[in-house]
């Protein structure tokens, strides 16, 4: 599995309250909402896809997906990240004191007003009868959520490799790399980098 990131145009990131009572609230992971066309395919997250993660992971909130700029996490001893799963998705609430004044200003000015999330797809289903092809993420290992500037929803090679492994052909997408006769040195280096990135992400997020 490789880490995937998704951005949704949810328009639900907001700052409530005044002074020391301010909180930042929003939808971190939307359920049952189809993505934009990602190059011949779309994606939807099943309701309950993050339930196991919410029960077992010490998930973090980062600024712009930057691990060098952590905002909070579920297991924080002060101003912990609060996550709640609803029918519409995974909602969050975070004490505004966890953000810098610069970050709060950018969110208040609607410069940064979208949310993104990083996850590993554990169970998925591809519907080739849909137009375009539809990927349904049924179970995910949710690691982090982030306020972001742009709500882009780009195609990823990770998902395309998943489609190829499931025997799904996606027209108009860049074909995944095919290894004939065993992995090359470049393939081995790439897989090693992927494993190192995964291990580093899990260490930094407490796994």
């Amino acid at each position: 599995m490789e880490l995937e990131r998704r951005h949704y145009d949810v328009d639900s990131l907001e700052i409530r309250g005044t002074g020391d009572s301010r909180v930042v609230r929003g939808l971190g992971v939307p359920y049952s909402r189809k993505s934009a066309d990602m190059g011949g395919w779309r994606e939807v997250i099943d309701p309950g896809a993050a339930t196991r993660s919410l029960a077992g992971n010490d998930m973090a909130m980062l600024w712009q997906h930057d691990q060098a700029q952590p905002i909070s996490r579920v297991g924080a001893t002060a101003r912990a990240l609060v996550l709640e799963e609803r029918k519409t998705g995974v909602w969050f609430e975070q004490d505004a004191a966890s953000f810098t004044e610069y970050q709060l200003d950018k969110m208040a000015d609607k410069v940064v007003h979208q949310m993104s999330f990083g996850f590993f797809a554990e169970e998925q289903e591809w519907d080739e009868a849909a137009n375009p092809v539809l990927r349904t993420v049924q179970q995910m290992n949710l690691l982090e959520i982030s306020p972001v500037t742009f709500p882009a929803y780009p195609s990823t090679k990770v998902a395309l490799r998943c489609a190829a492994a499931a025997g799904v052909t996606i027209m108009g997408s860049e074909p995944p790399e095919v290894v004939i006769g065993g992995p090359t040195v470049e393939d081995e280096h790439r897989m090693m980098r992927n494993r190192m990135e995964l291990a580093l992400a899990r260490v930094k997020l407490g796994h």
Side-chain angles (χ1 to χ4, degrees), residues 36-197:
D37 192 315
M38 298 170 66
W41 61 286
R42 300 176 73 181
E43 186 176 75
V44 65
I45 309 297
D46 258 356
T51 300
R52 291 199 302 235
S53 290
L54 293 173
N57 287 1
D58 182 13
M59 282 171 280
M61 175 181 281
L62 309 177
W63 181 254
Q64 306 278 5
H65 287 301
D66 186 353
Q67 295 187 26
Q69 299 187 72
I71 296 170
S72 185
R73 65 191 309 158
V74 171
T77 55
R79 298 192 294 271
L81 173 65
V82 177
L83 298 175
E84 180 185 357
E85 189 175 36
R86 306 177 188 172
K87 291 182 179 180
T88 52
V90 179
W91 291 77
F92 73 89
E93 180 173 299
Q94 181 61 49
D95 192 315
S98 299
F99 297 83
T100 66
E101 286 302 318
Y102 169 84
Q103 293 169 345
L104 290 172
D105 286 345
K106 293 304 178 185
M107 289 188 290
D109 289 342
K110 301 298 183 181
V111 175
V112 177
H113 69 109
Q114 305 296 333
M115 290 301 297
S116 178
F117 57 97
F119 70 101
F120 295 99
E122 296 183 324
E123 297 177 20
Q124 59 193 295
E125 183 176 80
W126 292 85
D127 182 5
E128 290 186 271
N131 186 20
V133 172
L134 180 65
R135 180 199 196 194
T136 300
V137 177
Q138 300 163 319
Q139 287 291 336
M140 63 164 62
N141 185 359
L142 180 64
L143 292 185
E144 53 96 357
I145 59 175
S146 296
V148 294
T149 304
F150 296 109
Y153 202 134
S155 177
T156 66
K157 289 185 178 180
V158 178
L160 292 179
R161 285 198 293 271
C162 290
V168 175
T169 301
I170 299 176
M171 302 302 295
S173 295
E174 180 182 347
E177 298 175 4
V178 177
V179 178
I180 300 176
T184 65
V185 173
E186 183 181 12
D187 294 324
E188 292 176 349
H189 288 172
R190 183 172 57 255
M191 288 187 287
M192 183 179 297
R193 286 195 302 271
N194 290 340
R195 287 195 293 268
M196 291 177 64
E197 289 173 0

